[in-house]
Amino acid sequence: MSQKVTKPITLALSKGRIFDETLPLLKAAGIEVLQDPEKSRKLILQTSKADVRIIIVRATDVPTYVEYGAADLGIAGKDVLIEHAATHPGALYQPIDLQIAQCRLCVAVPKGFDYEAAVRQGARLRVATKYVSAAREHFARKGVYVDLIKLYGSMELAPLIGLADAIVDLVSTGNTLKANDLVAVEDIMPISSRLIVNRAALKTRRAELQPLLDVFEQAG
Ligand code: ATP
Ligand code: PRP
């Protein structure tokens, strides 16, 4: 008699803070991850539950894996979700704010740069950021003209080296800004990570997903 092979539930996570902060949530559900992504080069990690596996992808790729159903679930920062939604509106179901990986999206400038005066005078600011959609929306709401320069990391360098007047970046302790003689001049929004779910899986695998959704619901 042929046995029906069911695909394990696949949860997409990024290495580092999201993986680290998700582990205790999984543990509370009795799910142990059997490999450490910091030590192993493996990208598919087994868990103590045969029907649940973890895939390790870049933070910015988590929404893509979930949208196309390669993963049923994922955990991604609001920053990443806003940028993804700009080109893929409504593609993901986002039921739960897990309150992990908390930080703020801010505008920052070099110490001594009079941001308020520049804005008042209607100067056209050059702003470097990885978060182009969130930044565009923020400055449009304020009625400030900006030229946005897309970067993929180390935004703090841009104003120090003459690439931009200001940056839009994530701030948590403020240590990175401080180390680079920058100051936050505007809070755009608080950021935390959310559970995201593939829309088709939500319908076709609801019964299998529900226990995990319940666990994350309790954590959120
Ligand atoms: P990628 O590798 O795709 O470029 P990344 O380097 O931003 O992404 P992480 O640094 O692991 O990936 O950040 C993952 C998420 O954690 C971010 O999307 C954000 O929501 C949150 N985050 C980023 N920096 C901080 C921080 N300093 N403190 C708390 N949470 C943060
Ligand atoms: C994030 C962000 C800032 C830093 C802010 O970088 O891009 O550079 O954290 O945190 P702080 O206010 O506590 O200093 P991250 O540590 O994720 O490095 P990465 O962007 O190179 O992954």
Side-chain angles (χ1 to χ4, degrees):
M1 202 172 69
S2 75
Q3 249 185 335
K4 197 177 156 219
V5 181
T6 50
K7 199 175 133 211
I9 293 169
T10 304
L11 170 65
L13 298 176
S14 53
K15 234 176 14 182
R17 54 176 66 86
I18 289 188
F19 181 85
D20 297 346
E21 295 188 40
T22 301
L23 274 191
L25 310 183
L26 292 173
K27 212 165 182 177
I31 301 173
E32 300 264 2
V33 183
L34 301 179
Q35 290 104 2
D36 178 351
E38 297 299 340
K39 293 193 185 128
S40 155
R41 302 287 296 169
K42 272 188 178 300
L43 298 175
I44 301 178
L45 311 182
Q46 304 307 320
T47 74
S48 53
K49 280 207 193 312
D51 59 343
V52 179
R53 65 179 176 178
I54 313 285
I55 59 168
I56 300 295
V57 303
R58 285 288 291 265
T60 41
D61 289 335
V62 168
T64 306
Y65 278 85
V66 176
E67 176 179 349
Y68 292 101
D72 304 292
L73 307 160
I75 297 178
K78 187 175 172 186
D79 48 323
V80 165
L81 294 172
I82 288 173
E83 299 308 309
H84 185 79
T87 45
H88 299 74
L92 296 163
Y93 178 56
Q94 298 181 33
I96 305 162
D97 181 353
L98 296 167
Q99 308 283 359
I100 60 171
Q102 293 188 339
C103 51
R104 305 180 327 269
L105 188 66
C106 294
V107 181
V109 298
K111 244 185 232 163
F113 179 83
D114 194 342
Y115 174 73
E116 288 305 329
V119 166
R120 244 190 343 265
Q121 287 155 15
R124 196 174 179 107
L125 293 176
R126 291 222 299 189
V127 179
T129 188
K130 186 170 160 186
Y131 312 102
V132 172
S133 293
R136 185 180 296 117
E137 157 93 32
H138 171 71
F139 291 110
R141 219 181 310 120
K142 277 175 66 82
V144 174
Y145 290 106
V146 289
D147 290 318
L148 292 171
I149 302 172
K150 167 84 183 182
L151 290 178
Y152 293 86
S154 303
M155 268 81 78
E156 292 84 1
L157 184 61
L160 307 181
I161 211 88
L163 178 63
D165 304 302
I167 60 171
V168 167
D169 196 7
L170 300 172
V171 179
S172 172
T173 60
N175 289 341
T176 310
L177 291 184
K178 207 165 160 197
N180 292 290
D181 293 320
L182 301 172
V183 283
V185 286
E186 227 161 44
D187 250 6
I188 301 180
M189 67 179 83
I191 298 289
S192 55
S193 285
R194 283 119 209 275
L195 181 72
I196 54 177
V197 188
N198 173 266
R199 288 197 178 276
L202 195 64
K203 296 200 182 87
T204 58
R205 307 191 74 181
R206 183 83 201 209
E208 295 161 81
L209 292 177
Q210 197 59 51
L212 261 180
L213 295 180
D214 291 343
V215 164
F216 286 124
E217 180 77 60
Q218 276 163 27

